[in-house]
Amino acid sequence: MKIRQLFDYDTWTYTYLLWDEATKEAAVIDSVLEQVERDTQHIQELGLNVKYLLETHIHADHITGAGPIRKRTKGKIVVHRNSGSECADILADEGDSFKLGEQEIKVLHTPGHTNTDITYLIEGAAFTGDTLFVRDCGRTDFQLGSNEDMYHSLTEKLFTLPEDTLVFPAHDYKGFSQSTIGEEKQFNSRVGNGKSFKDFSTIMDGLNLPNPKRLDISVPGNLKCGDLDD
Amino acid sequence: MKIRQLFDYDTWTYTYLLWDEATKEAAVIDSVLEQVERDTQHIQELGLNVKYLLETHIHADHITGAGPIRKRTKGKIVVHRNSGSECADILADEGDSFKLGEQEIKVLHTPGHTNTDITYLIEGAAFTGDTLFVRDCGRTDFQLGSNEDMYHSLTEKLFTLPEDTLVFPAHDYKGFSQSTIGEEKQFNSRVGNGKSFKDFSTIMDGLNLPNPKRLDISVPGNLKCGDLDD
């Protein structure tokens, strides 16, 4: 599977294009509304046939570009079933999978940041959304986030993947672009090196982060799949 | 060769770590002074033995972190010989190469943005500095830049590499992280699709870009390899 990482500078969001080189069947993970022109031009130049628009969760910090891209590509929007999304084409859950040519993208439910988090797995790489960041993890203090769920998703699900699995997060705030499961097991600041749930929970409860600036418009916008004019 | 891309948000600069998995011998391409702590911690966590600190050119928009990283790793600083750098360990030119384990990094002189530009080649990937950007190229209007040299470097040198060669630029301003030679031959806005030198030159002469904000401190700082206190 070919992977291309794209960055939205204003919201520190990573969008990913995945495609099967043989058939050019493609998926877009976590597009950003303001980048739809860039992304659709890139899709066209690469000659890709977008089959799936995969969302790792209902975002609170930006509005997805999935709806507008669907109109131009006929790709199907995939969101976790807990979202109750009425604009998505597929409400996915653990164990579901999607094919690009002969290659498979598998769904792992990894809640904790919200209750809608999906990690998309391909051979050798995990697209971990706001669950696992490089040396960090997503916040757990709104949108049905939960320290218990996050700790379980990180330590019992993601950290049981092969250690050389590449980690591609939905955001980074320090300039990292990727990591591996092995590195995160060892060096993740929140749960690495065998940190206990109690220590993890103390860190998370002490973060005192301000609400995302775009929270009020992002969640409703994402429940419309970014089709704000419809 | 393993490749890891790092981003400096303030100057839109990509830094690269390259390493040979078998021996952990490593190189850093285009470090940024303000990111030395991040990068040296990452190097340490990955267990890398830095042998080379490779500069693609004498930068005008940021100060390199090569000098400070050299003090902590014993890596040798490599700059093109046209720079006349007195702080570099190796003044390189076309045809030179550097080994990490059994793997080789080759030097291609690709002037045009400055007269000191190097593209570093490994198998399957080119680190093109400010010569080739994704769909774009570096400016040619100072530091002995030249439209003639840039056009020659792009069309006669880089575009003769295999089409599936990955392109990793020193900067991006739209959120792209990589490309391929084949894509750039076709879609590069400055020289793609067989654009003539005359048309290229008209584009470059009409850019009217302001000088980089950090020009006055960057060039002298880089001629000290970022060791500003020495």
Side-chain angles (χ1 to χ4, degrees), chain A:
Chain A
M1 196 88 85
K2 295 275 184 183
I3 301 169
R4 187 143 311 173
Q5 189 176 45
L6 300 155
F7 185 60
D8 178 59
Y9 195 84
D10 287 339
T11 63
W12 312 74
T13 302
Y14 283 125
T15 295
Y16 298 91
L17 300 184
L18 309 185
W19 71 96
D20 170 52
E21 187 68 358
T23 60
K24 300 282 185 185
E25 290 184 350
V28 184
I29 300 179
D30 287 342
S31 56
V32 173
L33 185 58
E34 288 79 3
Q35 300 291 357
V36 166
E37 290 303 321
R38 176 195 69 184
D39 294 351
T40 50
Q41 183 174 342
H42 212 55
I43 287 162
Q44 196 172 28
E45 289 177 356
L46 292 167
L48 304 180
N49 169 20
V50 175
K51 287 190 69 183
Y52 299 107
L53 298 155
L54 307 173
E55 298 291 304
T56 58
H57 62 292
I58 299 294
H59 309 278
D61 57 351
H62 70 275
I63 299 176
T64 179
I69 296 176
R70 173 171 57 183
K71 289 180 179 166
R72 303 196 199 181
T73 64
K74 317 286 182 205
K76 288 186 176 159
I77 298 177
V78 178
V79 184
H80 192 271
R81 71 165 64 233
N82 284 354
S83 67
S85 169
E86 294 182 0
C87 59
D89 300 288
I90 299 171
L91 295 177
D93 206 349
E94 179 95 7
D96 289 347
S97 65
F98 305 100
K99 279 199 143 186
L100 303 179
E102 290 300 309
Q103 306 194 64
E104 202 168 40
I105 303 171
K106 291 181 197 160
V107 169
L108 205 63
H109 186 209
T110 50
H113 172 60
T114 72
N115 68 336
T116 65
D117 302 279
I118 291 174
T119 290
Y120 292 100
L121 287 175
I122 61 170
E123 196 183 321
F127 299 85
T128 55
D130 283 18
T131 305
L132 180 58
F133 294 150
V134 181
R135 309 295 190 260
D136 212 333
C137 71
R139 62 196 291 176
T140 55
D141 58 335
F142 57 66
Q143 279 190 292
L144 300 175
S146 148
N147 288 346
E148 287 79 1
D149 288 349
M150 179 61 94
Y151 190 80
H152 181 262
S153 292
L154 292 169
T155 63
E156 301 292 324
K157 287 194 159 178
L158 295 178
F159 286 2
T160 62
L161 297 171
E163 296 220 334
D164 60 355
T165 304
L166 293 173
V167 170
F168 290 105
H171 297 285
D172 188 274
Y173 305 94
K174 289 183 178 170
F176 294 115
S177 59
Q178 58 176 267
S179 182
T180 65
I181 291 294
E183 279 172 58
E184 295 311 314
K185 280 169 77 168
Q186 202 171 350
F187 300 115
N188 190 281
S189 65
R190 305 268 168 90
V191 287
N193 202 17
K195 203 163 258 146
S196 70
F197 172 69
K198 192 177 158 205
D199 288 347
F200 169 74
S201 221
T202 302
I203 293 171
M204 299 309 287
D205 292 342
L207 290 179
N208 294 314
L209 297 168
N211 273 347
K213 278 181 288 187
R214 305 187 191 189
L215 178 63
D216 292 344
I217 60 162
S218 292
V219 172
N222 287 320
L223 289 171
K224 289 180 163 186
C225 292
D227 285 324
L228 305 187
D229 295 334
D230 291 359

Side-chain angles (χ1 to χ4, degrees), chain B residues 88-177:
Chain B
D89 299 289
I90 299 170
L91 295 177
D93 206 349
E94 179 96 6
D96 289 347
S97 65
F98 305 101
K99 278 199 142 184
L100 302 179
E102 291 299 309
Q103 306 195 63
E104 202 168 41
I105 303 172
K106 291 179 198 163
V107 170
L108 205 61
H109 185 210
T110 51
H113 172 61
T114 72
N115 68 334
T116 66
D117 302 278
I118 291 174
T119 290
Y120 292 100
L121 287 175
I122 63 172
E123 196 181 321
F127 299 85
T128 54
D130 282 19
T131 305
L132 179 58
F133 294 151
V134 181
R135 309 296 189 258
D136 212 332
C137 71
R139 63 196 290 176
T140 54
D141 58 335
F142 56 66
Q143 279 190 294
L144 301 175
S146 147
N147 288 347
E148 286 81 359
D149 288 350
M150 179 61 94
Y151 190 80
H152 181 262
S153 291
L154 291 168
T155 62
E156 300 293 323
K157 286 192 159 180
L158 295 177
F159 285 2
T160 63
L161 296 170
E163 296 220 335
D164 60 354
T165 304
L166 294 172
V167 170
F168 290 105
H171 298 285
D172 189 90
Y173 306 93
K174 290 183 179 170
F176 294 116
S177 59

Side-chain angles (χ1 to χ4, degrees), chain B residues 31-101:
Chain B
S31 56
V32 173
L33 185 58
E34 288 80 2
Q35 301 290 358
V36 166
E37 289 304 321
R38 176 195 71 183
D39 294 351
T40 50
Q41 183 175 342
H42 212 55
I43 287 163
Q44 196 172 28
E45 289 177 357
L46 293 167
L48 305 180
N49 169 22
V50 175
K51 287 189 68 183
Y52 298 106
L53 298 155
L54 307 173
E55 298 290 305
T56 57
H57 61 294
I58 299 294
H59 309 278
D61 57 351
H62 70 275
I63 299 176
T64 179
I69 296 177
R70 173 170 59 184
K71 288 179 179 167
R72 303 196 200 181
T73 64
K74 316 288 182 204
K76 288 185 177 161
I77 298 177
V78 178
V79 184
H80 191 271
R81 71 166 64 232
N82 283 354
S83 68
S85 170
E86 293 184 357
C87 59
D89 299 289
I90 299 170
L91 295 177
D93 206 349
E94 179 96 6
D96 289 347
S97 65
F98 305 101
K99 278 199 142 184
L100 302 179

